[in-house]
Amino acid sequence: MPAATITTLPGRIFAFYRDGFAAMQQGRTLWAIIAVKLFFIFAILRVFFFPDLLAARFATDQERAAYVLEELTGAQALIHPVHD
């Protein structure tokens, strides 16, 4: 579909990028580089530099939620017992 017939803003933005990358001589190579970089950032760096501290420090989801609430608001969170 030509970009001139698309009237919505999200459609025009999508068409802009679709047509722009399709017209590029090295577009596929650039997308491959972007995919490799995103994989490296989210898969490799996350494992080594961003460990799951909440899972290591707290045993239950309730304790994790109370800690996050306390850190975000600065207020002491009340922990309500969970009834099984």
Side-chain angles (χ1 to χ4, degrees):
M1 177 181 289
T5 60
I6 300 171
T7 57
T8 63
L9 180 62
R12 289 191 338 224
I13 292 172
F14 174 75
F16 173 78
Y17 284 104
R18 181 195 62 204
D19 296 343
F21 280 107
M24 293 175 61
Q25 299 255 335
Q26 300 169 337
R28 292 183 185 195
T29 304
L30 291 175
W31 276 113
I33 292 171
I34 290 169
V36 168
K37 287 177 71 174
L38 289 176
F39 173 77
F40 183 76
I41 289 170
F42 289 109
I44 305 297
L45 292 180
R46 185 183 182 282
V47 170
F48 293 111
F49 295 107
F50 302 105
D52 192 0
L53 296 176
L54 291 177
R57 290 183 183 171
F58 303 102
T60 65
D61 286 341
Q62 189 176 17
E63 291 173 344
R64 291 182 199 116
Y67 176 76
V68 170
L69 179 64
E70 182 179 333
E71 289 297 316
L72 290 176
T73 63
Q76 184 71 25
L78 298 174
I79 298 176
H80 301 286
V82 176
H83 301 287
D84 293 327

